[in-house]
Amino acid sequence: MGKSFIRRLALVVTLAASLPAASVLAQTSSDGIANEPEAEVIDTDQTISVTESVRDDQIATRIQGILKATGWYEDVQVDVQDGIVFLDGTATSSKRQDWARDLAAKTDGVVAVVNRLTLVQEADFSIDPAVSELRSLWDKTVSAAPLILLAFLILPLALFLSSGVARVARWALKDRLGSPFLRDVTARFIALPVFLVGLYIVLQIAGLTQLAISVLGGAGVIGIVIGFAFRDIAENFLASLLLSVRQPFRRGDFVDIAGHQGVVHSMNTRSTVLVSPEGNHIQIPNAAVFKATIENYTASPNRRGSFDVGIGYDASITDVQAIIMGELAEHDAILSDPEPMVLADTLGASTVIIKIYYWFDGAAISPLKLKSVLIRRVMAALTDAGISMPDEAREIIFPEGVPLVEAPAPSDTTAPTRTPAPVRKDTPKTKIAPAMDEDLSNEVDNLEPQMQVQVEGDKDSNLLDS
C-alpha cells in the first residue's frame, strides 16, 4: 500500500513538472510562427507519431547539410521544434526556394515546414539564353526549309493558274457582259477560289490549318472594321458595279442627275463625271448617282419645251390660240406628232397667262435657241395682230400725296398745234431674221474639247467604255 502510494505521488509530480515545460514549448513554437507573418507554413502528408522516432536535432542536421551541399543558399539556418522545421536564409530563385521547402517536407519525422527563405535576385549578364534561343530558331528554320521551298513553288503556281482562269473567264464573258469593268470583276471572282485552294494546300502541308482558320476569322473581323472605316469608298465602288450592270446612260448622253445637267464624260470606281453646258467638269459620287433620279434626254430624242405669254383681258383667247398655233405649225423644228398645245393657264392681276407646249428633236436642236426663236416669232405675230401684252399691275404709293404743278402759259399763242401722225393700216409685219431661225444646232456639239480632257480617276479605265 505504501509503495503504491509513493509511485502514484511520483507520477503526479512528474506530470506537474512536465506541464509547464510543454506549455512553454508550445507557446514558443506558436510565437515563432506567429511572429513571422510572411513565413510559408507547409503541412506534410506524413503521419504524426506519438512517440518520437527521430530527434529534432537529427532532422535539422540532415536538412541543413543537404542545403549547404547544393551551394544554392546563403546563411541557411534550419531549426526544428517538435517536428516543425523552420528554414531561414536567402535563395536566388523561387524554384530553389520551393525545392528547399519540398526537401524539408519529405524528411522523415517532419510534421510541418515554415519556409522563411528570402528571395534575392542575382544580376545575370550572360548571353547564354539569347544564344540558346537563336540556336533553337535556326534549328526550326532548317527543319522547316523543305516546307518553305514547297510553299514558294505552290503559291506561284496557284497564282499562275488563277490568272489563267481569269483570262479564260474574260474571254467567255466578252459577248455576255458589255462593260469591261464588270467582266474584270466577275473574272477575278471566278479565279479567286483557285488561289485559295493553293494557299490552303500550303497551310495544310505546313500543319497550319488552325492558323488558316484563325486568319480567315480575323480577316472577316478586319473586313468589317475596314468596311466601317471606308464605308463611302466601298459604297461608291458597289454603286459603280451596279451602274455598270444597269447602264442608265452612256458616254455622250445629255442627262440630269440630282439637279446637275450635262454631257456624260466618264465614270470611274468613285464618281461619274459630267460636262456642263458651261464647259465645267462636274464629279458626282457614284453612290449619289445610283440613289438619285436620272433623266436621260438622249435616250429618247423627242423633247417637250414650253414658255408663257401674258395677254390683256381685252384680247380674245381663241384668236390668240389660233395665232400662236399658226406660228408653231409654220416652224420646221416643231414636231406635228405629238402636236403642240396652246392653253389658257392662269388669270393674273392684269393679264391672262397662256401656256405654250411644243415637241422637237432634242438630239439635233438646241432647246435654248428654239425657245428664243419661238418667243420672238409669237411676240411679233401678236403685236402685228394688235394683241395687247400688258405688264403686271403695280401699286404705287405716294405717302405725301401727288404734287400738282401748274404748267406755264405759252408765250406765243399763234404757234400752230402739232398733230400726231396718222397710223397706217397697211403696216407690214415685223420681219424675223432668217439667220437666227436657221442656226438651231445643239450647243452640246461645242463641248467636244471638254470631252477630250482627261479627269483624275479615269486615266486607267472608263467604266462606260464597251
Side-chain angles (χ1 to χ4, degrees):
M1 182 70 181
K3 292 183 180 180
S4 176
F5 176 76
I6 293 173
R7 289 178 181 177
R8 291 178 181 177
L9 181 62
L11 180 60
V12 170
V13 172
T14 303
L15 291 174
S18 62
L19 284 175
S23 177
V24 171
L25 180 59
Q27 183 178 1
T28 303
S29 301
S30 177
D31 294 343
I33 297 175
N35 292 336
E36 296 292 339
E38 297 181 358
E40 181 184 10
V41 181
I42 301 299
D43 295 331
T44 64
D45 296 333
Q46 300 184 24
T47 303
I48 301 176
S49 177
V50 176
T51 60
E52 294 183 357
S53 59
V54 183
R55 298 193 309 272
D56 292 342
D57 57 343
Q58 293 177 339
I59 296 174
T61 302
R62 180 58 176 165
I63 295 175
Q64 188 166 0
I66 295 175
L67 295 180
K68 287 184 177 180
T70 60
W72 293 344
Y73 308 94
E74 296 181 0
D75 301 330
V76 61
Q77 295 292 331
V78 180
D79 186 18
V80 181
Q81 299 178 7
D82 291 339
I84 302 175
V85 178
F86 297 87
L87 299 177
D88 295 289
T90 59
T92 57
S93 67
S94 60
K95 292 183 179 179
R96 294 176 180 180
Q97 188 181 28
D98 296 339
W99 186 84
R101 177 200 63 196
D102 296 338
L103 172 67
K106 295 177 182 178
T107 304
D108 186 21
V110 176
V111 296
V113 179
V114 179
N115 191 358
R116 297 184 297 198
L117 290 174
T118 58
L119 187 62
V120 178
Q121 295 289 347
E122 294 182 354
D124 187 7
F125 296 98
S126 176
I127 62 172
D128 292 340
V131 174
S132 177
E133 290 295 332
L134 291 176
R135 186 180 293 109
S136 176
L137 181 61
W138 171 255
D139 294 339
K140 292 180 180 179
T141 303
V142 172
S143 61
L147 298 178
I148 296 175
L149 294 177
L150 184 61
F152 277 109
L153 291 177
I154 294 179
L155 286 180
L157 179 61
L159 184 60
F160 176 76
L161 292 177
S162 177
S163 301
V165 172
R167 286 194 294 269
V168 172
R170 291 190 190 95
W171 176 80
L173 297 173
K174 184 176 181 181
D175 297 333
R176 299 185 179 183
L177 297 178
S179 173
F181 172 70
L182 189 59
R183 286 199 304 268
D184 184 70
V185 172
T186 306
R188 290 177 183 272
F189 183 77
I190 295 174
L192 180 61
V194 178
F195 178 76
L196 292 180
V197 169
L199 181 61
Y200 177 78
I201 292 174
V202 171
L203 295 177
Q204 184 71 22
I205 294 175
L208 300 176
T209 307
Q210 295 297 327
L211 177 61
I213 297 175
S214 301
V215 169
L216 292 176
V221 175
I222 294 174
I224 294 175
V225 174
I226 293 177
F228 277 105
F230 299 95
R231 181 181 59 184
D232 293 339
I233 296 177
E235 186 179 15
N236 289 326
F237 179 81
L238 293 177
S240 64
L241 188 63
L242 295 175
L243 288 173
S244 299
V245 175
R246 294 179 54 187
Q247 295 184 352
F249 47 76
R250 296 181 180 274
R251 176 181 170 85
D253 290 354
F254 189 81
V255 297
D256 186 318
I257 302 176
H260 300 282
Q261 289 189 355
V263 182
V264 178
H265 179 278
S266 60
M267 182 176 69
N268 51 56
T269 56
R270 194 192 73 84
S271 61
T272 299
V273 183
L274 303 181
V275 178
S276 66
E278 295 80 13
N280 301 321
H281 289 88
I282 304 174
Q283 297 192 25
I284 308 175
N286 287 330
V289 175
F290 184 76
K291 297 176 183 178
T293 301
I294 302 174
E295 189 173 359
N296 192 337
Y297 298 104
T298 308
S300 178
N302 292 347
R303 293 179 58 181
R304 192 182 76 170
S306 65
F307 62 93
D308 300 338
V309 174
I311 61 174
Y313 277 92
D314 58 338
S316 173
I317 297 178
T318 304
D319 295 341
V320 170
Q321 289 177 322
I323 294 172
I324 297 177
M325 285 293 292
E327 292 296 329
L328 295 177
E330 291 179 0
H331 204 288
D332 296 335
I334 304 301
L335 300 178
S336 58
D337 186 19
E339 62 180 5
M341 296 184 297
V342 181
L343 306 175
D345 185 65
T346 307
L347 298 176
S350 61
T351 58
V352 178
I353 306 301
I354 304 298
K355 198 83 172 181
I356 297 98
Y357 299 95
Y358 55 93
W359 290 83
F360 63 98
D361 185 1
I365 298 175
S366 169
L368 301 178
K369 294 179 182 179
L370 180 59
K371 183 177 180 179
S372 175
V373 171
L374 293 179
I375 291 177
R376 189 174 66 251
R377 292 173 65 97
V378 168
M379 185 188 70
L382 295 177
T383 302
D384 293 339
I387 304 297
S388 63
M389 291 177 286
D391 191 7
E392 291 292 335
R394 294 184 177 90
E395 182 180 4
I396 303 176
I397 300 175
F398 297 92
E400 299 179 357
V402 180
L404 298 177
V405 180
E406 185 178 355
S411 57
D412 188 3
T413 57
T414 61
T417 303
R418 179 176 299 178
T419 58
V423 179
R424 297 180 56 183
K425 296 182 180 181
D426 56 347
T427 304
K429 291 185 178 181
T430 306
K431 295 183 179 180
I432 301 175
M436 300 189 69
D437 287 347
E438 294 176 359
D439 185 16
L440 297 178
S441 60
N442 201 325
E443 65 273 8
V444 175
D445 299 336
N446 301 326
L447 300 177
E448 189 60 30
Q450 284 78 5
M451 293 289 293
Q452 300 301 327
V453 177
Q454 286 188 343
V455 181
E456 183 180 1
D458 67 341
K459 296 180 180 179
D460 298 333
S461 62
N462 182 7
L463 305 186
L464 299 177
D465 293 337
S466 59

